[in-house]
Amino acid sequence: MECTGQNSSLGNHTALVEFILIGFSDVPNFQELLFGVFLIIYVFILMGNSLIILLTKVDTSLQTPMYFFLMNFSMLEICYVSVTVPRLLIDLCRQYGNISLLACAIQMFLFLILVDTECFILTAMAYDRYVAICSPLLYPVIMNDRLCIQLAVACWTTAVPMHTMFISVLFSSTFCGCNQLNHFFCDAPPVVQLICGDAFRVKMLLYMITALVASIPSFLIIASYVKIVSAILKLPSATGRAKAFSTCCSHLTVVTLFFGSGIIVYFKSMTGRLTGIDKFLSLFYTILIPMLNPIIYCLRNKDVMVALGKFLQKWNVL
């Protein structure tokens, strides 16, 4: 049964050694169905993103900065879902979600780093589209191999120091009372709510990191698209405008889905207890969006579809 209140047993200061992930235990009759659905989604995510990585490696027409970042994005999505979904599948099988503090800290650390990395890679992809549309003649010079690698490395490593500090501060705190997390993985907001005594310092640190990671990429992406839209509207040809918009549509769709659901969940959950709707939104941006990404980038991208057609044709010949 779920605990009531933030710390229902504040009087009991016995330090906790593990958490219990409630997950979807409130719907016991659907455990097997949920296991099957999440397993299918997980396999689809692995296959879809692996296919994108493979296509960008074997097809020379996709070996451009735009698809270099898409390959990084697909690699990230595989890592991203692998931090949460396998554990969720195991918990659905064994009908309980006990997780040690160490395992919780590791899962949270990896998840937070990968969330931030996704924000940064989406920002790098927006910058790539900005240069391609606003400075097409200088695009090969600006987006050279060296800059692309530097941007990718920065995207993958920038979040590590921030969350190393946050995880150290969070898990050096004492947890007591209720040890149940109304979630399907160790996310930061519900764990922060279980800290004994004054959690103001940890909450403010989480607010600052979340605001920083959400605001700077959002501002840069919006600024890029303001410039992009302005440049596209100046194009004399309707065909040229349609083609330019189509190269940005997939990226903009993913940005809207990911940032929209993520920001709502984090800022809402840090102001109160996690509800069923919040858990669904978390499910949306941790599992469902990664499932949609291969579909969005394949079906709405002619270059990828052409490369996929050539790959399948070659495979059939072999």
Side-chain angles (χ1 to χ4, degrees), residues 168-189:
S168 299
V169 172
L170 174 58
F171 283 89
S172 63
S173 305
T174 302
F175 302 97
C176 61
C178 173
N179 68 337
Q180 297 184 3
L181 300 178
N182 186 20
H183 216 317
F184 55 89
F185 71 99
C186 271
D187 203 1

Side-chain angles (χ1 to χ4, degrees), residues 113-154:
I113 288 175
L114 293 169
V115 167
D116 291 1
T117 301
E118 182 151 352
C119 294
F120 300 145
I121 289 182
L122 288 171
T123 306
M125 294 171 78
Y127 177 70
D128 171 74
R129 292 299 82 208
Y130 160 73
V131 177
I133 293 174
C134 298
S135 303
L137 298 178
L138 295 175
Y139 180 72
V141 178
I142 297 174
M143 298 302 296
N144 55 63
D145 292 345
R146 182 180 178 183
L147 179 62
C148 289
I149 293 173
Q150 288 175 340
L151 286 173
V153 171

Side-chain angles (χ1 to χ4, degrees), residues 86-245:
R87 170 83 201 197
L88 172 59
L89 293 174
I90 292 171
D91 289 345
L92 286 171
C93 282
R94 63 183 186 175
Q95 301 291 320
Y96 65 92
N98 296 48
I99 184 169
S100 68
L101 264 63
L102 177 60
C104 182
I106 292 172
Q107 185 185 54
M108 186 188 300
F109 179 65
L110 294 175
F111 176 77
L112 292 175
I113 288 175
L114 293 169
V115 167
D116 291 1
T117 301
E118 182 151 352
C119 294
F120 300 145
I121 289 182
L122 288 171
T123 306
M125 294 171 78
Y127 177 70
D128 171 74
R129 292 299 82 208
Y130 160 73
V131 177
I133 293 174
C134 298
S135 303
L137 298 178
L138 295 175
Y139 180 72
V141 178
I142 297 174
M143 298 302 296
N144 55 63
D145 292 345
R146 182 180 178 183
L147 179 62
C148 289
I149 293 173
Q150 288 175 340
L151 286 173
V153 171
C155 289
W156 283 94
T157 59
T158 299
V160 174
M162 289 190 298
H163 291 300
T164 300
M165 176 180 63
F166 173 72
I167 294 296
S168 299
V169 172
L170 174 58
F171 283 89
S172 63
S173 305
T174 302
F175 302 97
C176 61
C178 173
N179 68 337
Q180 297 184 3
L181 300 178
N182 186 20
H183 216 317
F184 55 89
F185 71 99
C186 271
D187 203 1
V191 173
V192 169
Q193 292 177 6
L194 301 186
I195 295 176
C196 290
D198 188 10
F200 178 79
R201 182 179 60 142
V202 181
K203 288 182 178 179
M204 284 301 101
L205 183 57
L206 181 58
Y207 269 121
M208 289 170 58
I209 293 174
T210 304
L212 189 67
V213 172
S215 61
I216 294 179
S218 298
F219 172 77
L220 293 174
I221 291 171
I222 291 171
S224 296
Y225 273 100
V226 168
K227 295 281 188 179
I228 288 170
V229 171
S230 177
I232 290 175
L233 293 177
K234 293 177 183 178
L235 294 175
S237 166
T239 304
R241 290 195 294 271
K243 184 177 180 180
F245 271 122

